[in-house]
């Protein structure tokens, strides 16, 4: 019998999508480093961002970088994912719309990378795993 037949949805793997958040301190130079990950799982209506800013890398690429501004931009992404008042205009959007809005290309200091896919039984744990593997 399959796990779905047994009704154990929590153990079933679902497709998820993720994109790295990159910090590009000087857009004209194109140099960047990873500072977070966005994870979206449609089957579970889940979207989250996990971030970690390495100030040493940021200041190595741009000694005059606005560290507080970059941190605020990363917190804003986390807020949009969380929904509610922290999401601003996206507060009433579903998880998928918020994810799609966040992964849209932009020319700012914090930029999304390409979207990748995988399978997971726990999208929240997946976000932490990807943060540890690809960012920290």
């Amino acid at each position: 019998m399959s796990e779905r037949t047994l009704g154990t949805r929590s153990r079933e793997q679902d497709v998820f999508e993720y994109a790295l958040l990159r910090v590009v301190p000087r857009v004209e130079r194109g140099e960047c480093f990873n500072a977070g990950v966005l994870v979206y799982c449609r089957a579970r209506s889940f979207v989250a961002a996990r971030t970690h800013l390495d100030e040493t890398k940021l200041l190595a690429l741009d000694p005059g970088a606005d560290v507080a501004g970059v941190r605020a931009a990363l917190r804003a992404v986390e807020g949009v994912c969380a929904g509610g008042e922290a999401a601003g205009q996206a507060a009433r959007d579903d998880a998928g719309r918020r994810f799609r809005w966040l992964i849209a290309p932009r020319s700012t200091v914090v930029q999304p990378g390409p979207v990748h896919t995988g399978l997971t039984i726990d999208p929240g744990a997946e976000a932490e795993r990807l943060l540890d593997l690809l960012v920290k």
Side-chain angles (χ1 to χ4, degrees), residues 9-18 37-50 95 118-131:
R9 173 100 178 122
S10 63
R11 293 181 183 257
E12 184 179 322
Q13 289 190 334
D14 291 307
V15 173
F16 74 97
E17 299 174 71
Y18 73 95
V37 64
L38 291 164
V39 173
Y40 169 60
C41 180
R42 179 178 174 207
R44 297 179 189 240
S45 297
F46 177 90
V47 65
R50 301 291 187 268
L119 294 171
T120 187
I121 59 170
D122 183 347
E126 198 65 45
E128 295 297 333
R129 184 186 77 79
L130 290 170
L131 181 72

Side-chain angles (χ1 to χ4, degrees), residues 22-60:
R22 298 173 176 165
V23 173
V24 187
R26 294 178 59 193
V27 176
E28 71 278 8
R29 292 183 60 138
E31 298 167 328
C32 65
F33 64 95
N34 298 337
V37 64
L38 291 164
V39 173
Y40 169 60
C41 180
R42 179 178 174 207
R44 297 179 189 240
S45 297
F46 177 90
V47 65
R50 301 291 187 268
T51 63
H52 173 80
L53 180 61
D54 185 332
E55 288 183 29
T56 303
K57 285 182 185 178
L58 175 59
L59 295 172

Side-chain angles (χ1 to χ4, degrees), residues 20-118:
L20 290 168
L21 293 172
R22 298 173 176 165
V23 173
V24 187
R26 294 178 59 193
V27 176
E28 71 278 8
R29 292 183 60 138
E31 298 167 328
C32 65
F33 64 95
N34 298 337
V37 64
L38 291 164
V39 173
Y40 169 60
C41 180
R42 179 178 174 207
R44 297 179 189 240
S45 297
F46 177 90
V47 65
R50 301 291 187 268
T51 63
H52 173 80
L53 180 61
D54 185 332
E55 288 183 29
T56 303
K57 285 182 185 178
L58 175 59
L59 295 172
L61 292 176
D62 182 2
D66 178 4
V67 176
V70 173
R71 282 197 188 285
L74 291 169
R75 277 194 308 272
V77 171
E78 292 172 336
V80 169
C81 287
E85 288 189 29
Q89 290 180 310
R92 290 187 177 92
D93 288 342
D94 63 29
R97 286 181 58 96
R98 292 194 313 271
F99 179 74
R100 298 285 172 238
W101 184 78
L102 289 167
I103 62 167
R106 53 188 46 96
S107 181
T108 60
V109 174
V110 175
Q111 300 179 6
V115 176
H116 306 280
T117 60

